[in-house]
Amino acid sequence: MTVFVDGSFFPDTTLRPAQQQEQLCQQVTDQLKIRARENNTTEYIHYEREASK
C-alpha cells in the first residue's frame, strides 16, 4: 500500500465559514482524484474456462 500525504490545505478567509468548508472539501476531493488518476495500478481479474478435452 502506498500512502500520500498532501497539503497543506487552507480555507479562503474571505468566505463565510460554510463556504470555507465547502471550498476545503473541494480542494481535497480534487487532489484525491488527481492522485487516483496518476497512480492507477488496479487491475481486474479475468476468469476464463479451460476448453473441454
Side-chain angles (χ1 to χ4, degrees), residues 9-15 17 19-21 23-24 27:
F9 298 104
F10 297 102
D12 181 350
T13 56
T14 63
L15 300 174
Q19 291 173 318
Q20 290 179 8
Q21 183 178 6
Q23 181 236 351
L24 284 173
Q27 280 183 332

Side-chain angles (χ1 to χ4, degrees), residues 5-40:
V5 179
D6 289 316
S8 299
F9 298 104
F10 297 102
D12 181 350
T13 56
T14 63
L15 300 174
R16 294 190 321 261
Q19 291 173 318
Q20 290 179 8
Q21 183 178 6
E22 182 61 34
Q23 181 236 351
L24 284 173
C25 178
Q26 190 61 50
Q27 280 183 332
V28 172
T29 301
D30 292 344
Q31 187 61 40
L32 288 170
K33 288 179 181 178
I34 290 168
R35 287 284 182 203
R37 274 194 309 271
E38 290 175 351
N39 300 293
N40 185 3

